[in-house]
Amino acid sequence: MSVVKLTYHGHSCFGIDVDGTRLLIDPFLTGNELADITADQVEADYILISHGHGDHVGDTIQIAERTGAMTISNFEIQCWLAAQGVERTHPLHIGGGYDFPFGRVKLTIAHHGSALPDGSYGGQPAGFLLYLEGKKIYHACDTGLFYDMKLIGEEGLDVAILPIGDNFTMGPDDALRAVKLLEPQVVIPIHYDTFEVIQQDPGAFAARVEAETAAKCVVLKAGDTYQL
Ligand code: NI
Ligand code: MN
């Protein structure tokens, strides 16, 4: 019986355990007071980075160095990470996917920016479509609402991980419209409360999702795990 376990580490960061292989998405831990784990503790075999902003690249370099994890993102960020000394890199680009030993990763569009912390060009921002042990997970990362979410939803999603913080990404109103386009089984809200300008009430969002759509909304605190 295969098991996929999502553990939320705050903001946009998840650890995903796929039958013992550990994926880590957008490891912004140092500097996030709401994170439940530190960059020294977190384990990873693969690190997925959605875009170049500091609250997503986060501690990638340090964690990759300590764990030997392979990093996965768009081409531009992989070139930047390699130049910082990261040894194992796998570049992808929007619309492309690759079958890794743990499952498939495909990059989706996202409407956002992607400059790297030192101002380097970080290419286009992305979301992730993950195919893990027969489960389909869409992590939208940082994005505004876009109608092509309907195409992503045609995959038949088990889980959609959506930002609700507003200001830098979709807020709750547009995230609710996103749920209607994506039609996932389960929605997990992210990218809120970390900063003053993205304070939200995830419980109120969950109530709206469950009143207006067929999806179940699971609100995770940092450290919580959701098993598929
Ligand atoms: Ni961003
Ligand atoms: Mn962000």
Side-chain angles (χ1 to χ4, degrees):
M1 174 66 185
S2 59
V3 173
V4 177
K5 273 190 278 188
L6 307 178
T7 302
Y8 188 45
H9 296 308
H11 203 52
S12 191
C13 182
F14 277 86
I16 305 184
D17 188 301
V18 189
D19 279 341
T21 298
R22 296 151 310 178
L23 317 188
L24 184 63
I25 300 179
D26 287 355
F28 170 53
L29 302 172
T30 302
N32 179 9
E33 288 171 14
L34 302 179
D36 66 304
I37 196 165
T38 67
D40 297 337
Q41 300 167 325
V42 73
E43 288 301 332
D45 299 303
Y46 296 87
I47 305 171
L48 285 64
I49 305 110
S50 63
H51 66 288
H53 293 164
D55 59 319
H56 297 261
V57 172
D59 301 296
T60 295
I61 295 169
Q62 179 192 339
I63 297 166
E65 194 169 87
R66 177 174 58 79
T67 62
M70 171 180 279
T71 58
I72 301 170
S73 74
N74 72 21
F75 177 79
E76 291 81 358
I77 293 171
Q78 291 303 293
C79 291
W80 183 82
L81 289 172
Q84 316 293 311
V86 172
E87 289 178 0
R88 300 177 64 227
T89 58
H90 186 111
L92 291 170
H93 234 304
I94 313 288
Y98 185 79
D99 294 312
F100 291 91
F102 60 82
R104 184 170 177 81
V105 178
K106 185 175 174 182
L107 293 196
T108 68
I109 62 167
H111 291 315
H112 195 66
S114 186
L116 285 151
D118 63 2
S120 297
Y121 177 62
Q124 297 298 310
F128 298 111
L129 193 49
L130 307 174
Y131 306 76
L132 307 173
E133 299 290 343
K135 305 290 184 185
K136 292 177 192 162
I137 301 168
Y138 170 53
H139 189 318
C141 304
D142 281 10
T143 187
L145 179 68
F146 54 91
Y147 196 73
D148 287 2
M149 285 181 175
K150 202 163 173 56
L151 294 175
I152 297 170
E154 285 173 5
E155 298 273 344
L157 302 175
D158 293 282
V159 176
I161 298 170
L162 302 176
I164 65 162
D166 212 347
N167 195 79
F168 298 117
T169 68
M170 296 187 285
D173 292 349
D174 279 353
L176 182 62
R177 295 167 77 193
V179 175
K180 292 173 183 175
L181 294 171
L182 292 162
E183 299 187 332
Q185 303 272 326
V186 169
V187 177
I188 300 175
I190 59 161
H191 212 275
Y192 61 90
D193 286 1
T194 322
F195 314 121
E196 188 62 39
V197 294
I198 61 172
Q199 301 285 328
Q200 295 295 341
D201 178 348
F205 173 71
R208 292 174 72 192
V209 167
E210 298 196 351
E212 293 186 39
T213 78
K216 179 181 166 197
C217 188
V218 176
V219 176
L220 300 177
K221 293 188 306 295
D224 287 349
T225 293
Y226 177 75
Q227 186 167 317
L228 279 81

